[in-house]
Amino acid sequence: MSNTQHVRIKDISAALAGQAVEVRGWLRNKPGGKGRYFLWLRDGSGEIQAVAEQSELSESVWADCERIGLESSIIATGTVRQHPKNPDECELLLTDIRVLQEVTDYPIGKKAHGVEFLMKNRHLWLRGAKQSAILRIRSEVQQAFADFFHRRGFYRVDTPIFTPNACEGTTTLFEVDYHGDTVFLAQSGQLYNEADIGALGQVYCFGPVFRAEKSKTRRHLLEFWMLEMEAAYYDHQDNMRFQEEMLAFTVRRVLNNCRADLKILGRDPAKLEPALVTPYPKLRYGECIEIVNDWRAGQLAQAREVGLDEARELLMSGKSVNIRDESFEDKSEQKQRISAFRWGDDFGAPDETAIGASHDRPVFVTNFPVEIKGFYFKDELNDDGTERIDPVFARLQANEPKLVVPGATGHTILGSDLIGSEGAGELIGGSQREDDLKRLEAKIRHHNLPPEFLEWYVDLRRYGNVPHAGFGLGLERTVAWLGGGSDNPLHLRETIAFPRMLHQYEP
Amino acid sequence: MSNTQHVRIKDISAALAGQAVEVRGWLRNKPGGKGRYFLWLRDGSGEIQAVAEQSELSESVWADCERIGLESSIIATGTVRQHPKNPDECELLLTDIRVLQEVTDYPIGKKAHGVEFLMKNRHLWLRGAKQSAILRIRSEVQQAFADFFHRRGFYRVDTPIFTPNACEGTTTLFEVDYHGDTVFLAQSGQLYNEADIGALGQVYCFGPVFRAEKSKTRRHLLEFWMLEMEAAYYDHQDNMRFQEEMLAFTVRRVLNNCRADLKILGRDPAKLEPALVTPYPKLRYGECIEIVNDWRAGQLAQAREVGLDEARELLMSGKSVNIRDESFEDKSEQKQRISAFRWGDDFGAPDETAIGASHDRPVFVTNFPVEIKGFYFKDELNDDGTERIDPVFARLQANEPKLVVPGATGHTILGSDLIGSEGAGELIGGSQREDDLKRLEAKIRHHNLPPEFLEWYVDLRRYGNVPHAGFGLGLERTVAWLGGGSDNPLHLRETIAFPRMLHQYEP
């Protein structure tokens, strides 16, 4: 059998009909018996059915077919032919088999297992049809990103993991003893990318980032992968255009190259197609306040079984009201306090769902209040260089002051969050960066950041300062949106091979 | 000037001759004066000369040309024309300029700076012609790897950084407090990749790895990037074939796409061309003993100013001899002890240089003694399944027992190191993995590894065990070889944007 052509399952098509091929992989399942087995073979690239007919096989090959159990490793030879029921698919008529390892006690069966058992056996659970399909989509997404950046003339850089300072506060940092000094595991490569563009103009990095989330929920990954772009001579608008074009390109690649995987996941490709069309909708932060409050009133009305008007009145009273939201997996999260969303509040996950639900494709939320964003966001100014007051803020302050967080200025930044459709939440956060030296220094003081650690960063505004912008994309959330969305929502822990969560660092 | 076409410098070619283009970047240098400046413009993608003729420019534009210093950020417009002296290159005839920031006090000048100063100002040093050329090569290498794996149908996976166990000892591990538990920063993704192939067949990962090197030398990076491949149904030979084909593909890409950068680095492309031809030479470990001892004798003869025969006799006496090797940057390393290389010794960096010097392309050293390799290497066996005794070992033990490390068995493994040419050292380490359950368990015991942490790894041999192989490639060393080699050797710290070394974690 060693003379037969070895083919990967994904490459078996009608073009090979009538030919003998060799498949090297594992047995996924074995329905049949009484003279005929349907051997479901998988090799990592896909799955194919090999029909084993007792009448066509030698006694020893048939005996092998009878004895092998799930996840036995086998090399099978067969003749390619059209699948009798699914003319788009092929199957094999088995001619020979070599059993490398007979397995009869594979621990993951067809019965439903609890999450704890599956996570403990993640090294085996990965082989499941759904889990491996997710990982193939993840791989395609990564290659699509790399290709998009390469075609646009961007250079890949690798930003450091060990960092002396934190750009967004220190409460969720992992510390490392670095030969007697304390350093932190990076939560972003952005500041370094801003230096890298001085050398390379347009760059991206892709690597792990770390957040020591203390939340008891199992929704957060403590280690996840982030794609970060930075480009010299890009403004806020260029930045959003790049993001939407990159995402449309990636969606196209997944639709073209991962059809079989989407099918395994029960993911309807039609729901991703709107994201192929750019530009994506853009909503200013101020415009979202009403959307979020409408949605919160709806939630409250449902929970309290009251009319929408009454719920709205309750919401606007300025107090917070308890409701129960059973969509959360963890009981501890189901008890929710709900109150009116005010200018100056930051969006929570349900708010992002509400905003995302208003469109069939990802939507940008732009121009957030300066108070809720990091020190490096560029201020939105009037043409004369004075600080702009957002008109929604002005209207709220005049007419509905309860809907304004005390102390809010109405000043906004030139940045955006890209919210995925179907409740996917924030996929990308980006902005033009503050390139006014004095404003940047003032913000560093205002945020109480240690200026000595940022001296090098401020240098970038002193020597060859240029307008520039960039963004960060969370890979796991993007994969969850692409592979699951609202059809069969994926848990973040399924979107990476070996997730790291609170109390979960094995295997 | 905003109507003029913005072009990146790398895309300016003779095809654009006579056209007006806009370049957005920085001023690298400004030779000239008295009616004419040569503005050396860079934009991260490359460098071009813009000729500013006072007679052709408005007074204000000329004044701008006069006042701007190095690293000023400027948008320049000009007409493309052939460079008068280098017909392969283009230059611009400047027509307009917009100065975004005038810089007159850029801290890095044309005079030579010390390493300490440059490292402290790495965020600016990066912009240097040489440093940015290295980073462009690094980026091309990464994209070439990704493309090669994608074309071969490999899937990219991301292996975890937080790991509970160490696969190669614990002396150089960084520890992290993980909400009360101790975890370690990964030094390899291999064990996880071995699980991933059960799901995906053929995989690679690419990410940072960490070694808490306590060496006082400045040669080691504590954080570096590793490419790791793993494939089901691959044996030792398949593994080496994949490595050499991948490297040849990558060298081709660098030669095609990074000509300008190689030129900046003074790297002779002709020295890389032999690496385009596969297969690469292969030497068994046993065959290298003589090569290394010849080289050591030569070193000794030179240091002691004695003849080669006398040096060889001294070397084979069984004692170690002091010499001074001034090729080491750090004085503390220059004092070397030299003795005969014995069966069972591991190669040091100079030995690898000696082995690499014997060929004009990378060379595989294969079949190391089992004693000096990790627990997961597959044993080399006779056809009947008994342990093979290496013939070189047998000969040495019989005739020159001083050249055998006490206790060495003569047993070997199915693995290889790929040694770069021109003193590049080990670029890749790879092997077929031990897939015999009993042998693997014995090795885990023999290496005193905590079996409870490896239970999941051993599971992979219990359920659907297959022959498999893989390797790990150090990105920084590979970039140093490609971009520097023996022409203008690159320091590892130059091959990554923000290197992390002992006492070096800023900026």
Side-chain angles (χ1 to χ4, degrees), chain A residues 359-371:
Chain A
H359 295 86
D360 63 354
R361 78 198 66 185
V363 49
F364 285 102
V365 178
T366 70
N367 306 92
F368 291 84
V370 68
E371 290 82 9

Side-chain angles (χ1 to χ4, degrees), chain A residues 306-427:
Chain A
V306 296
L308 206 58
D309 284 347
E310 193 180 333
R312 174 176 292 274
E313 207 167 308
L314 204 58
L315 194 68
M316 297 300 167
S317 70
K319 291 175 295 191
S320 67
V321 185
N322 286 328
I323 65 162
R324 177 167 293 278
D325 183 346
E326 292 180 356
S327 69
F328 284 96
E329 187 185 2
D330 288 272
K331 279 235 159 55
S332 63
E333 289 182 288
Q334 292 181 352
K335 201 172 156 190
Q336 295 276 318
R337 292 179 75 81
I338 208 167
S339 57
F341 187 92
R342 302 164 302 171
W343 177 281
D345 284 334
D346 207 351
F347 298 123
D351 305 320
E352 289 173 347
T353 299
I355 296 165
S358 57
H359 295 86
D360 63 354
R361 78 198 66 185
V363 49
F364 285 102
V365 178
T366 70
N367 306 92
F368 291 84
V370 68
E371 290 82 9
I372 59 172
K373 290 293 182 182
F375 74 95
Y376 50 76
F377 284 76
K378 186 170 175 63
D379 287 329
E380 186 177 23
L381 301 176
N382 294 312
D383 288 343
D384 66 359
T386 57
E387 265 136 358
R388 188 174 180 282
I389 304 290
D390 189 276
V392 172
F393 168 84
R395 181 168 50 74
L396 290 175
Q397 202 177 38
N399 305 331
E400 298 182 84
K402 273 183 186 167
L403 290 186
V404 174
V405 169
T409 57
H411 300 159
T412 47
I413 52 81
L414 290 171
S416 57
D417 285 357
L418 183 61
I419 311 292
S421 45
E422 301 173 69
E426 182 191 332
L427 303 178

Side-chain angles (χ1 to χ4, degrees), chain A residues 8 10 24-26 42-45 71-75 100-101 103 105-107 121 123-124 126-127 132 135-136 138-140 142-143 146-147 150 152-164 174-179 181-183 185 192 195-202 204 206-208 210 212-214 222-223 225 232-233 253 257 453 456 459-467 475 496-498 500-507, chain B residues 8 10 24-26 42-45 71-75 100-101 103 105-107 121 123-124 126-127 132 135-136 138-140 142-143 146-147 150 152-164 174-179 181-183 185 192 195-202 204 206-208 210 212-214 222-223 225 232-233 253 257 453 456 459-467 475 496-498 500-507:
Chain A
R8 300 189 73 205
K10 74 177 171 62
R24 301 174 186 167
W26 297 267
R42 62 175 196 86
D43 69 354
S45 78
E71 289 304 317
S72 295
S73 39
I74 50 182
I75 297 179
L100 282 86
Q101 187 181 43
V103 176
D105 56 347
Y106 189 63
N121 288 284
H123 56 295
L124 302 176
L126 280 179
R127 303 181 186 180
S132 54
L135 293 183
R136 280 190 293 269
R138 180 182 169 106
S139 173
E140 184 67 30
Q142 295 188 50
Q143 184 68 24
D147 288 344
H150 197 248
R152 295 283 178 113
F154 277 65
Y155 299 102
R156 178 174 170 151
V157 290
D158 299 303
T159 53
I161 308 296
F162 290 134
T163 49
F174 282 107
E175 287 184 20
V176 177
D177 174 0
Y178 193 90
H179 296 303
D181 296 337
T182 297
V183 300
L185 299 183
Y192 294 97
D196 294 329
I197 59 169
L200 301 169
Q202 306 180 343
Y204 77 102
F206 177 64
F210 306 89
E213 295 280 359
K214 287 179 182 91
L222 272 58
E223 174 185 315
W225 285 69
Y233 293 98
R253 283 278 289 265
N257 298 344
F453 284 134
W456 68 271
D459 262 0
L460 306 175
R461 275 66 176 171
R462 296 187 182 112
Y463 307 113
N465 192 17
V466 295
L475 179 64
I496 185 165
F498 291 93
R500 294 296 182 245
M501 294 173 294
L502 197 67
H503 309 307
Q504 170 75 43
Y505 53 84
E506 295 184 275
Chain B
R8 299 188 74 205
K10 73 176 171 60
R24 301 175 185 165
W26 297 267
R42 61 175 195 85
D43 70 353
S45 78
E71 289 304 317
S72 295
S73 39
I74 49 182
I75 297 181
L100 282 85
Q101 187 181 43
V103 175
D105 56 347
Y106 189 63
N121 288 284
H123 55 295
L124 302 176
L126 280 179
R127 302 181 189 179
S132 54
L135 293 183
R136 280 190 294 269
R138 180 182 168 107
S139 173
E140 184 66 31
Q142 295 189 51
Q143 185 68 24
D147 288 344
H150 197 246
R152 294 284 176 114
F154 277 65
Y155 299 102
R156 176 172 173 156
V157 290
D158 300 302
T159 53
I161 308 296
F162 291 134
T163 49
F174 282 107
E175 287 184 18
V176 177
D177 174 359
Y178 193 89
H179 296 302
D181 296 338
T182 297
V183 300
L185 298 183
Y192 294 97
D196 294 328
I197 58 170
L200 300 169
Q202 305 180 344
Y204 76 104
F206 176 65
F210 306 88
E213 295 280 0
K214 285 178 184 89
L222 273 57
E223 174 184 313
W225 286 70
Y233 293 97
R253 282 276 291 263
N257 299 343
F453 284 134
W456 67 271
D459 262 1
L460 306 175
R461 274 65 177 173
R462 295 188 181 112
Y463 307 114
N465 191 18
V466 296
L475 180 64
I496 185 166
F498 291 93
R500 294 298 182 242
M501 295 173 294
L502 198 66
H503 309 306
Q504 170 75 42
Y505 53 84
E506 294 184 274

Side-chain angles (χ1 to χ4, degrees), chain A residues 223-255:
Chain A
E223 174 185 315
F224 57 99
W225 285 69
M226 195 146 75
L227 177 79
E228 292 180 276
M229 169 275 211
E230 199 72 32
Y233 293 98
Y234 264 52
D235 67 15
H236 173 47
Q237 298 297 331
D238 298 327
N239 195 26
M240 289 194 289
R241 195 175 315 115
F242 188 97
Q243 291 170 47
E244 61 201 10
E245 288 174 0
M246 179 187 80
L247 214 55
F249 176 88
T250 304
V251 170
R252 170 72 68 201
R253 283 278 289 265
V254 169
L255 289 175

Side-chain angles (χ1 to χ4, degrees), chain A residues 26-89:
Chain A
W26 297 267
L27 184 67
R28 160 90 68 209
N29 206 347
K30 195 180 77 171
K34 289 183 192 161
R36 177 186 293 153
Y37 280 112
F38 299 96
L39 307 181
W40 295 4
L41 306 178
R42 62 175 196 86
D43 69 354
S45 78
E47 222 170 295
I48 196 167
Q49 168 172 292
V51 183
E53 301 272 9
Q54 185 173 10
S55 57
E56 306 274 332
L57 297 169
S58 72
E59 251 178 65
S60 77
V61 170
W62 179 252
D64 280 343
C65 291
E66 291 216 285
R67 73 186 166 98
I68 53 175
L70 303 198
E71 289 304 317
S72 295
S73 39
I74 50 182
I75 297 179
T77 310
T79 312
V80 179
R81 64 184 189 188
Q82 201 180 52
H83 191 290
K85 287 183 192 160
N86 308 318
D88 291 346
E89 289 178 22

